[in-house]
Amino acid sequence: METAAYIFAIFGLFLLPLTLYIFPNFYLKIRENKKYDLSFRYFLFFLVLITEIWFYLNHLYLDDKQHAWQHWQNYFWLEFCNFSAVTIMILLIKPNKLFMDCTLPLGLIGPCATVFFPANLSNMSFTNYWYWQDMFGHITIFFSYLFLYTYGYTKTRFDKTFIQRSIVYTTIIGLGIEVYNLGFGTSFGYKAVAEIFIGQQKEIYYFLFVISWIWPLLFTIYYLIVWYFKPIYSLELKQKINDSWFEKISKKIVRQSRKIKQKQ
């Protein structure tokens, strides 16, 4: 059951965003129609909001085995994905290039890391409400960021400014979380992933392991993805500017098929 639920979550993480590239005309129609556009963005906004409310209710009250609601630190759940949930809700309401440049890395890396490296495998069950809240919330955040980026809601492009802003923002958030951890004895941000590789250690070792090994790897993959998956729609031109990778592959297959037929 755990394996099936884990595989299902990974498929969901990739299959839903893939629709952005497989069905570009569908999403372009949403993008070009103001009524559809606002409705779809508000729909995504409320999905993220509901999962965040669900998370805090479960954590503080419904699944309260250690009286979590009595400790003020639990009201400031400083995981990277919680930051991403807040930032994507802001972007869905008011898209902004500076904000997108800064927050896009965590908006994509955080959900991926959570789905691939779940903190508690025992929760990976179709009958566990934590599973649906956790996986559904992260997949929605991931999809929402890609939707805004791919369909031109901001002018975010893969360039020097984008790289600088994203690194500075992520560094500030990352260091801030670690200072909070060391100051208040919490383990946000790093333990869930690092513990898989190095076992139980002091909090500072989780931090050092993640920033020296995990972050460089994830950021390299992330920048390659952003560089390859270019925006399809132009905000300023209000038109399609790039074919999706799916369309490019389809065109290559068609051209190759024609060449083979001509040779025959």
Side-chain angles (χ1 to χ4, degrees), residues 209-222:
F209 177 79
V210 170
I211 65 170
S212 60
W213 291 96
I214 303 298
W215 274 16
L217 174 63
L218 291 179
F219 266 82
T220 300
I221 296 173
Y222 158 76

Side-chain angles (χ1 to χ4, degrees), residues 183-219:
F184 298 105
T186 54
S187 297
F188 295 123
Y190 306 99
K191 181 180 179 180
V193 174
E195 198 171 37
I196 297 174
F197 298 96
I198 62 176
Q200 292 187 351
Q201 302 288 340
K202 292 182 179 179
E203 170 59 34
I204 189 64
Y205 293 125
Y206 295 141
F207 170 71
L208 293 175
F209 177 79
V210 170
I211 65 170
S212 60
W213 291 96
I214 303 298
W215 274 16
L217 174 63
L218 291 179
F219 266 82

Side-chain angles (χ1 to χ4, degrees), residues 50-84:
I50 289 170
T51 56
E52 278 297 289
I53 294 173
W54 188 2
F55 168 80
Y56 274 100
L57 286 176
N58 285 334
H59 175 67
L60 294 174
Y61 301 105
L62 302 181
D63 194 30
D64 185 16
K65 297 177 181 178
Q66 298 178 340
H67 303 291
W69 62 273
Q70 296 180 358
H71 305 285
W72 66 268
Q73 293 95 331
N74 291 317
Y75 291 87
F76 299 92
W77 203 259
L78 302 185
E79 296 288 0
F80 290 111
C81 290
N82 289 91
F83 279 100
S84 296

